[in-house]
Amino acid sequence: MIKSIDKRNSFKETPFDYSIIKDNKMMIYWHRKHIKTITGKEFVKVKSKIELAVNQDEIQLILAKLTRNFKRGNEK
């Protein structure tokens, strides 16, 4: 399933990362740059999806979908 979605093999580099901090917050990173913070109900939903993920590619896909298309030429 992932291979048909990741046609450019960009998930092999694992560009997305996350960390869970106190007060039930999740920080999402892209190439070690903070791009989004998730809290509340969305945090619970995303955390459960990540826990159910079978491999790293699925986690990358979840994080990519979560951040949507955040790049619009203003990231450095």
Side-chain angles (χ1 to χ4, degrees):
M1 180 179 130
I2 300 266
K3 292 186 182 203
S4 64
I5 294 172
D6 187 23
K7 294 180 181 178
R8 292 183 280 170
N9 293 325
S10 59
F11 292 155
K12 295 290 180 196
E13 302 170 3
T14 62
F16 292 98
D17 197 12
Y18 70 96
S19 64
I20 298 174
I21 58 175
K22 63 182 180 177
D23 300 329
N24 292 332
K25 293 182 182 179
M26 180 182 290
M27 308 285 278
I28 309 288
Y29 301 95
W30 178 72
H31 293 291
R32 297 183 180 171
K33 292 175 114 178
H34 175 256
I35 56 171
K36 189 169 187 174
T37 303
I38 300 172
T39 60
K41 291 180 183 178
E42 189 177 18
F43 166 78
V44 174
K45 182 178 172 184
V46 171
K47 184 179 175 191
S48 65
K49 283 184 179 181
I50 288 175
E51 289 172 351
L52 294 174
V54 176
N55 56 27
Q56 184 64 30
D57 287 342
E58 285 188 20
I59 293 173
Q60 290 295 306
L61 181 61
I62 291 166
L63 295 174
K65 285 183 176 182
L66 181 68
T67 57
R68 298 188 180 149
N69 191 1
F70 73 94
K71 299 191 303 180
R72 290 285 182 224
N74 58 353
E75 75 281 347
K76 299 204 184 223

